[in-house]
Amino acid sequence: MSTDRIPVMIPWLGEEEAEAASDAVLSGWVAQGPRVAEFEKAFAERVGAEHGIAVSSCTTALHLSLVALGLGPGDEVVVPSLSFIATANAVRYVGAEPVFADVDPDTANLTPATVDAVRTSSTQAVLAVHQGGVPADVHALRAACAEWELPLVEDAACAIGSTVGGKPVGHGALLAAWSFHPRKVVTTGEGGMITTDDAEWAARLRRLREHGMNASAAERHASNKPVLESYLEVGFNYRMTDIQAAVGLVQLGKLDAMITRRRELAARYDALLRDIPGLTAVRDPEHGQSNFQSYWVLLDEDFPVGRDDLLAALSEAGVSARRGIMAAHLEPAYADHPSGPLPVTERLSRDSLILPLFHTMTEAQQDRVVAALREQARG
């Protein structure tokens, strides 16, 4: 076994982030404050949205988005099963029921046709995912949802820097939820964001993340007079800290370089893998470009070894790969949840794996990953 293990992902963090976090600590304002407000503004501008609302995770961003839509018991929300389980869980948080739709085999995303196949009279919203950074065709989905008179929420956890029709993912979104987990392109350790163009929703979402309070701690601190806050509705403690936001601002400044590097590495993978039979690699869809937050390959059904055996062989060769995107309807948490046939979802989940990709990855490391795949492809 190689002792020089290749990780699946390394966040691009350095002295600049450490200094920014230190400055936040030394400022004496470490909770949600001026750096959070600055990060919200910068992030919203980057994705072409009017408002950004920083929160503690993408999961809480999804939860608050569904709260803002007024969803609750008796409502159904169409979601892909092919997504991290938080997508479906957020629907349950508001008491609604997730309805699992299948996905397009090329993009791993919902389409109007897959949504329509499971839509019922109880459907009150659609929650689409930009899976692994591959942008969903939101123009088609938005048009379909407008025809059905359904709101479309976008789970853009993986998609910062991806584009649709030349515009950033998030541009024109009713509500989009983002993640800053270390596996994502931009990280704050943990953390999330909601973006929207609706000022009233943005104001309410800011209250909801802070216990339903009508005046934030930063607003009270800035006032020259005593502020007696009120709690307008039952809210949550979903705030981001200024320490996280300080790191996020530095990360956002690196985003263009991050995307350029990830796309370079993805293009090199494409070239190296092209002659290996039995592998289909993720690629840009016709309607947009991916940030390649994840680079995955799908095994043909006649590939000499199964996905799990391939993962074990790669691990033995010192390559840390991961199983592909999970299927929520196959997890124990949803064992008793009704679901129709999802053949594409099950195929993609069963037969795909995510390969290492990070900004400091060397050509030698990529060559080792490809050599290990090539060895297994020989049977």
mmCIF file with all atom_site columns, all heavy atoms in Angstrom, residues 135-152:
data_model
loop_
_atom_site.group_PDB
_atom_site.id
_atom_site.type_symbol
_atom_site.label_atom_id
_atom_site.label_alt_id
_atom_site.label_comp_id
_atom_site.label_asym_id
_atom_site.label_entity_id
_atom_site.label_seq_id
_atom_site.pdbx_PDB_ins_code
_atom_site.Cartn_x
_atom_site.Cartn_y
_atom_site.Cartn_z
_atom_site.occupancy
_atom_site.B_iso_or_equiv
_atom_site.pdbx_formal_charge
_atom_site.auth_seq_id
_atom_site.auth_comp_id
_atom_site.auth_asym_id
_atom_site.auth_atom_id
_atom_site.pdbx_PDB_model_num
ATOM 1   N N   . PRO A 1 135 ? -24.812 22.296 -12.892 1.00 0.00 ? 135 PRO A N   1
ATOM 2   C CA  . PRO A 1 135 ? -26.021 23.114 -12.770 1.00 0.00 ? 135 PRO A CA  1
ATOM 3   C C   . PRO A 1 135 ? -27.242 22.428 -13.357 1.00 0.00 ? 135 PRO A C   1
ATOM 4   O O   . PRO A 1 135 ? -27.180 21.845 -14.448 1.00 0.00 ? 135 PRO A O   1
ATOM 5   C CB  . PRO A 1 135 ? -25.669 24.379 -13.548 1.00 0.00 ? 135 PRO A CB  1
ATOM 6   C CG  . PRO A 1 135 ? -24.651 23.929 -14.563 1.00 0.00 ? 135 PRO A CG  1
ATOM 7   C CD  . PRO A 1 135 ? -23.855 22.850 -13.868 1.00 0.00 ? 135 PRO A CD  1
ATOM 8   N N   . ALA A 1 136 ? -28.337 22.490 -12.630 1.00 0.00 ? 136 ALA A N   1
ATOM 9   C CA  . ALA A 1 136 ? -29.616 22.043 -13.179 1.00 0.00 ? 136 ALA A CA  1
ATOM 10  C C   . ALA A 1 136 ? -30.088 23.058 -14.218 1.00 0.00 ? 136 ALA A C   1
ATOM 11  O O   . ALA A 1 136 ? -29.697 24.230 -14.184 1.00 0.00 ? 136 ALA A O   1
ATOM 12  C CB  . ALA A 1 136 ? -30.646 21.918 -12.058 1.00 0.00 ? 136 ALA A CB  1
ATOM 13  N N   . ASP A 1 137 ? -30.928 22.618 -15.121 1.00 0.00 ? 137 ASP A N   1
ATOM 14  C CA  . ASP A 1 137 ? -31.485 23.528 -16.128 1.00 0.00 ? 137 ASP A CA  1
ATOM 15  C C   . ASP A 1 137 ? -32.616 24.312 -15.473 1.00 0.00 ? 137 ASP A C   1
ATOM 16  O O   . ASP A 1 137 ? -33.799 24.009 -15.636 1.00 0.00 ? 137 ASP A O   1
ATOM 17  C CB  . ASP A 1 137 ? -31.987 22.732 -17.332 1.00 0.00 ? 137 ASP A CB  1
ATOM 18  C CG  . ASP A 1 137 ? -32.414 23.630 -18.489 1.00 0.00 ? 137 ASP A CG  1
ATOM 19  O OD1 . ASP A 1 137 ? -32.462 24.870 -18.293 1.00 0.00 ? 137 ASP A OD1 1
ATOM 20  O OD2 . ASP A 1 137 ? -32.711 23.110 -19.570 1.00 0.00 ? 137 ASP A OD2 1
ATOM 21  N N   . VAL A 1 138 ? -32.234 25.354 -14.722 1.00 0.00 ? 138 VAL A N   1
ATOM 22  C CA  . VAL A 1 138 ? -33.236 26.077 -13.945 1.00 0.00 ? 138 VAL A CA  1
ATOM 23  C C   . VAL A 1 138 ? -34.167 26.901 -14.831 1.00 0.00 ? 138 VAL A C   1
ATOM 24  O O   . VAL A 1 138 ? -35.293 27.192 -14.423 1.00 0.00 ? 138 VAL A O   1
ATOM 25  C CB  . VAL A 1 138 ? -32.580 26.983 -12.877 1.00 0.00 ? 138 VAL A CB  1
ATOM 26  C CG1 . VAL A 1 138 ? -31.979 26.146 -11.772 1.00 0.00 ? 138 VAL A CG1 1
ATOM 27  C CG2 . VAL A 1 138 ? -31.550 27.912 -13.493 1.00 0.00 ? 138 VAL A CG2 1
ATOM 28  N N   . HIS A 1 139 ? -33.722 27.267 -16.016 1.00 0.00 ? 139 HIS A N   1
ATOM 29  C CA  . HIS A 1 139 ? -34.632 28.001 -16.897 1.00 0.00 ? 139 HIS A CA  1
ATOM 30  C C   . HIS A 1 139 ? -35.831 27.128 -17.263 1.00 0.00 ? 139 HIS A C   1
ATOM 31  O O   . HIS A 1 139 ? -36.982 27.575 -17.221 1.00 0.00 ? 139 HIS A O   1
ATOM 32  C CB  . HIS A 1 139 ? -33.900 28.477 -18.149 1.00 0.00 ? 139 HIS A CB  1
ATOM 33  C CG  . HIS A 1 139 ? -32.801 29.466 -17.868 1.00 0.00 ? 139 HIS A CG  1
ATOM 34  N ND1 . HIS A 1 139 ? -32.971 30.534 -17.018 1.00 0.00 ? 139 HIS A ND1 1
ATOM 35  C CD2 . HIS A 1 139 ? -31.523 29.530 -18.304 1.00 0.00 ? 139 HIS A CD2 1
ATOM 36  C CE1 . HIS A 1 139 ? -31.843 31.225 -16.955 1.00 0.00 ? 139 HIS A CE1 1
ATOM 37  N NE2 . HIS A 1 139 ? -30.951 30.624 -17.718 1.00 0.00 ? 139 HIS A NE2 1
ATOM 38  N N   . ALA A 1 140 ? -35.564 25.869 -17.598 1.00 0.00 ? 140 ALA A N   1
ATOM 39  C CA  . ALA A 1 140 ? -36.654 24.946 -17.908 1.00 0.00 ? 140 ALA A CA  1
ATOM 40  C C   . ALA A 1 140 ? -37.484 24.648 -16.669 1.00 0.00 ? 140 ALA A C   1
ATOM 41  O O   . ALA A 1 140 ? -38.725 24.603 -16.731 1.00 0.00 ? 140 ALA A O   1
ATOM 42  C CB  . ALA A 1 140 ? -36.088 23.656 -18.506 1.00 0.00 ? 140 ALA A CB  1
ATOM 43  N N   . LEU A 1 141 ? -36.822 24.453 -15.533 1.00 0.00 ? 141 LEU A N   1
ATOM 44  C CA  . LEU A 1 141 ? -37.551 24.157 -14.297 1.00 0.00 ? 141 LEU A CA  1
ATOM 45  C C   . LEU A 1 141 ? -38.387 25.347 -13.841 1.00 0.00 ? 141 LEU A C   1
ATOM 46  O O   . LEU A 1 141 ? -39.535 25.182 -13.409 1.00 0.00 ? 141 LEU A O   1
ATOM 47  C CB  . LEU A 1 141 ? -36.574 23.755 -13.193 1.00 0.00 ? 141 LEU A CB  1
ATOM 48  C CG  . LEU A 1 141 ? -35.990 22.342 -13.286 1.00 0.00 ? 141 LEU A CG  1
ATOM 49  C CD1 . LEU A 1 141 ? -34.804 22.195 -12.329 1.00 0.00 ? 141 LEU A CD1 1
ATOM 50  C CD2 . LEU A 1 141 ? -37.054 21.299 -12.972 1.00 0.00 ? 141 LEU A CD2 1
ATOM 51  N N   . ARG A 1 142 ? -37.841 26.554 -13.951 1.00 0.00 ? 142 ARG A N   1
ATOM 52  C CA  . ARG A 1 142 ? -38.601 27.733 -13.554 1.00 0.00 ? 142 ARG A CA  1
ATOM 53  C C   . ARG A 1 142 ? -39.830 27.920 -14.438 1.00 0.00 ? 142 ARG A C   1
ATOM 54  O O   . ARG A 1 142 ? -40.913 28.280 -13.944 1.00 0.00 ? 142 ARG A O   1
ATOM 55  C CB  . ARG A 1 142 ? -37.717 28.977 -13.600 1.00 0.00 ? 142 ARG A CB  1
ATOM 56  C CG  . ARG A 1 142 ? -36.664 29.032 -12.511 1.00 0.00 ? 142 ARG A CG  1
ATOM 57  C CD  . ARG A 1 142 ? -35.697 30.182 -12.733 1.00 0.00 ? 142 ARG A CD  1
ATOM 58  N NE  . ARG A 1 142 ? -34.571 30.126 -11.797 1.00 0.00 ? 142 ARG A NE  1
ATOM 59  C CZ  . ARG A 1 142 ? -33.487 30.886 -11.887 1.00 0.00 ? 142 ARG A CZ  1
ATOM 60  N NH1 . ARG A 1 142 ? -33.384 31.787 -12.859 1.00 0.00 ? 142 ARG A NH1 1
ATOM 61  N NH2 . ARG A 1 142 ? -32.513 30.763 -10.998 1.00 0.00 ? 142 ARG A NH2 1
ATOM 62  N N   . ALA A 1 143 ? -39.666 27.692 -15.732 1.00 0.00 ? 143 ALA A N   1
ATOM 63  C CA  . ALA A 1 143 ? -40.807 27.829 -16.645 1.00 0.00 ? 143 ALA A CA  1
ATOM 64  C C   . ALA A 1 143 ? -41.889 26.814 -16.305 1.00 0.00 ? 143 ALA A C   1
ATOM 65  O O   . ALA A 1 143 ? -43.087 27.143 -16.291 1.00 0.00 ? 143 ALA A O   1
ATOM 66  C CB  . ALA A 1 143 ? -40.339 27.665 -18.089 1.00 0.00 ? 143 ALA A CB  1
ATOM 67  N N   . ALA A 1 144 ? -41.476 25.570 -16.033 1.00 0.00 ? 144 ALA A N   1
ATOM 68  C CA  . ALA A 1 144 ? -42.449 24.536 -15.689 1.00 0.00 ? 144 ALA A CA  1
ATOM 69  C C   . ALA A 1 144 ? -43.143 24.855 -14.372 1.00 0.00 ? 144 ALA A C   1
ATOM 70  O O   . ALA A 1 144 ? -44.368 24.725 -14.242 1.00 0.00 ? 144 ALA A O   1
ATOM 71  C CB  . ALA A 1 144 ? -41.759 23.178 -15.616 1.00 0.00 ? 144 ALA A CB  1
ATOM 72  N N   . CYS A 1 145 ? -42.364 25.286 -13.371 1.00 0.00 ? 145 CYS A N   1
ATOM 73  C CA  . CYS A 1 145 ? -42.955 25.600 -12.076 1.00 0.00 ? 145 CYS A CA  1
ATOM 74  C C   . CYS A 1 145 ? -43.901 26.797 -12.169 1.00 0.00 ? 145 CYS A C   1
ATOM 75  O O   . CYS A 1 145 ? -44.926 26.842 -11.469 1.00 0.00 ? 145 CYS A O   1
ATOM 76  C CB  . CYS A 1 145 ? -41.861 25.865 -11.050 1.00 0.00 ? 145 CYS A CB  1
ATOM 77  S SG  . CYS A 1 145 ? -41.028 24.362 -10.482 1.00 0.00 ? 145 CYS A SG  1
ATOM 78  N N   . ALA A 1 146 ? -43.587 27.754 -13.025 1.00 0.00 ? 146 ALA A N   1
ATOM 79  C CA  . ALA A 1 146 ? -44.494 28.886 -13.227 1.00 0.00 ? 146 ALA A CA  1
ATOM 80  C C   . ALA A 1 146 ? -45.814 28.411 -13.825 1.00 0.00 ? 146 ALA A C   1
ATOM 81  O O   . ALA A 1 146 ? -46.898 28.858 -13.421 1.00 0.00 ? 146 ALA A O   1
ATOM 82  C CB  . ALA A 1 146 ? -43.831 29.923 -14.125 1.00 0.00 ? 146 ALA A CB  1
ATOM 83  N N   . GLU A 1 147 ? -45.728 27.489 -14.758 1.00 0.00 ? 147 GLU A N   1
ATOM 84  C CA  . GLU A 1 147 ? -46.946 26.930 -15.367 1.00 0.00 ? 147 GLU A CA  1
ATOM 85  C C   . GLU A 1 147 ? -47.769 26.170 -14.336 1.00 0.00 ? 147 GLU A C   1
ATOM 86  O O   . GLU A 1 147 ? -48.999 26.247 -14.338 1.00 0.00 ? 147 GLU A O   1
ATOM 87  C CB  . GLU A 1 147 ? -46.552 26.005 -16.516 1.00 0.00 ? 147 GLU A CB  1
ATOM 88  C CG  . GLU A 1 147 ? -47.738 25.371 -17.231 1.00 0.00 ? 147 GLU A CG  1
ATOM 89  C CD  . GLU A 1 147 ? -47.310 24.429 -18.342 1.00 0.00 ? 147 GLU A CD  1
ATOM 90  O OE1 . GLU A 1 147 ? -46.154 24.528 -18.812 1.00 0.00 ? 147 GLU A OE1 1
ATOM 91  O OE2 . GLU A 1 147 ? -48.135 23.578 -18.733 1.00 0.00 ? 147 GLU A OE2 1
ATOM 92  N N   . TRP A 1 148 ? -47.081 25.469 -13.424 1.00 0.00 ? 148 TRP A N   1
ATOM 93  C CA  . TRP A 1 148 ? -47.792 24.697 -12.397 1.00 0.00 ? 148 TRP A CA  1
ATOM 94  C C   . TRP A 1 148 ? -48.146 25.547 -11.177 1.00 0.00 ? 148 TRP A C   1
ATOM 95  O O   . TRP A 1 148 ? -48.772 25.049 -10.242 1.00 0.00 ? 148 TRP A O   1
ATOM 96  C CB  . TRP A 1 148 ? -46.904 23.530 -11.921 1.00 0.00 ? 148 TRP A CB  1
ATOM 97  C CG  . TRP A 1 148 ? -46.511 22.576 -12.993 1.00 0.00 ? 148 TRP A CG  1
ATOM 98  C CD1 . TRP A 1 148 ? -47.241 22.172 -14.073 1.00 0.00 ? 148 TRP A CD1 1
ATOM 99  C CD2 . TRP A 1 148 ? -45.250 21.869 -13.084 1.00 0.00 ? 148 TRP A CD2 1
ATOM 100 N NE1 . TRP A 1 148 ? -46.536 21.276 -14.834 1.00 0.00 ? 148 TRP A NE1 1
ATOM 101 C CE2 . TRP A 1 148 ? -45.305 21.065 -14.260 1.00 0.00 ? 148 TRP A CE2 1
ATOM 102 C CE3 . TRP A 1 148 ? -44.093 21.840 -12.312 1.00 0.00 ? 148 TRP A CE3 1
ATOM 103 C CZ2 . TRP A 1 148 ? -44.251 20.253 -14.658 1.00 0.00 ? 148 TRP A CZ2 1
ATOM 104 C CZ3 . TRP A 1 148 ? -43.039 21.031 -12.699 1.00 0.00 ? 148 TRP A CZ3 1
ATOM 105 C CH2 . TRP A 1 148 ? -43.119 20.242 -13.857 1.00 0.00 ? 148 TRP A CH2 1
ATOM 106 N N   . GLU A 1 149 ? -47.703 26.798 -11.168 1.00 0.00 ? 149 GLU A N   1
ATOM 107 C CA  . GLU A 1 149 ? -47.920 27.714 -10.040 1.00 0.00 ? 149 GLU A CA  1
ATOM 108 C C   . GLU A 1 149 ? -47.310 27.162 -8.746  1.00 0.00 ? 149 GLU A C   1
ATOM 109 O O   . GLU A 1 149 ? -47.918 27.164 -7.677  1.00 0.00 ? 149 GLU A O   1
ATOM 110 C CB  . GLU A 1 149 ? -49.409 28.016 -9.853  1.00 0.00 ? 149 GLU A CB  1
ATOM 111 C CG  . GLU A 1 149 ? -50.025 28.711 -11.062 1.00 0.00 ? 149 GLU A CG  1
ATOM 112 C CD  . GLU A 1 149 ? -51.480 29.084 -10.853 1.00 0.00 ? 149 GLU A CD  1
ATOM 113 O OE1 . GLU A 1 149 ? -52.122 28.499 -9.953  1.00 0.00 ? 149 GLU A OE1 1
ATOM 114 O OE2 . GLU A 1 149 ? -51.972 29.963 -11.579 1.00 0.00 ? 149 GLU A OE2 1
ATOM 115 N N   . LEU A 1 150 ? -46.059 26.689 -8.882  1.00 0.00 ? 150 LEU A N   1
ATOM 116 C CA  . LEU A 1 150 ? -45.322 26.136 -7.754  1.00 0.00 ? 150 LEU A CA  1
ATOM 117 C C   . LEU A 1 150 ? -44.021 26.911 -7.558  1.00 0.00 ? 150 LEU A C   1
ATOM 118 O O   . LEU A 1 150 ? -43.326 27.224 -8.527  1.00 0.00 ? 150 LEU A O   1
ATOM 119 C CB  . LEU A 1 150 ? -44.980 24.659 -7.989  1.00 0.00 ? 150 LEU A CB  1
ATOM 120 C CG  . LEU A 1 150 ? -46.135 23.669 -8.071  1.00 0.00 ? 150 LEU A CG  1
ATOM 121 C CD1 . LEU A 1 150 ? -45.614 22.289 -8.452  1.00 0.00 ? 150 LEU A CD1 1
ATOM 122 C CD2 . LEU A 1 150 ? -46.893 23.620 -6.750  1.00 0.00 ? 150 LEU A CD2 1
ATOM 123 N N   . PRO A 1 151 ? -43.656 27.228 -6.317  1.00 0.00 ? 151 PRO A N   1
ATOM 124 C CA  . PRO A 1 151 ? -42.355 27.855 -6.072  1.00 0.00 ? 151 PRO A CA  1
ATOM 125 C C   . PRO A 1 151 ? -41.219 26.852 -6.265  1.00 0.00 ? 151 PRO A C   1
ATOM 126 O O   . PRO A 1 151 ? -41.370 25.666 -5.947  1.00 0.00 ? 151 PRO A O   1
ATOM 127 C CB  . PRO A 1 151 ? -42.449 28.312 -4.618  1.00 0.00 ? 151 PRO A CB  1
ATOM 128 C CG  . PRO A 1 151 ? -43.451 27.398 -3.991  1.00 0.00 ? 151 PRO A CG  1
ATOM 129 C CD  . PRO A 1 151 ? -44.440 27.062 -5.076  1.00 0.00 ? 151 PRO A CD  1
ATOM 130 N N   . LEU A 1 152 ? -40.090 27.334 -6.763  1.00 0.00 ? 152 LEU A N   1
ATOM 131 C CA  . LEU A 1 152 ? -38.905 26.507 -6.961  1.00 0.00 ? 152 LEU A CA  1
ATOM 132 C C   . LEU A 1 152 ? -37.804 26.996 -6.028  1.00 0.00 ? 152 LEU A C   1
ATOM 133 O O   . LEU A 1 152 ? -37.368 28.146 -6.115  1.00 0.00 ? 152 LEU A O   1
ATOM 134 C CB  . LEU A 1 152 ? -38.420 26.589 -8.410  1.00 0.00 ? 152 LEU A CB  1
ATOM 135 C CG  . LEU A 1 152 ? -37.104 25.853 -8.726  1.00 0.00 ? 152 LEU A CG  1
ATOM 136 C CD1 . LEU A 1 152 ? -37.275 24.346 -8.602  1.00 0.00 ? 152 LEU A CD1 1
ATOM 137 C CD2 . LEU A 1 152 ? -36.596 26.234 -10.116 1.00 0.00 ? 152 LEU A CD2 1
#
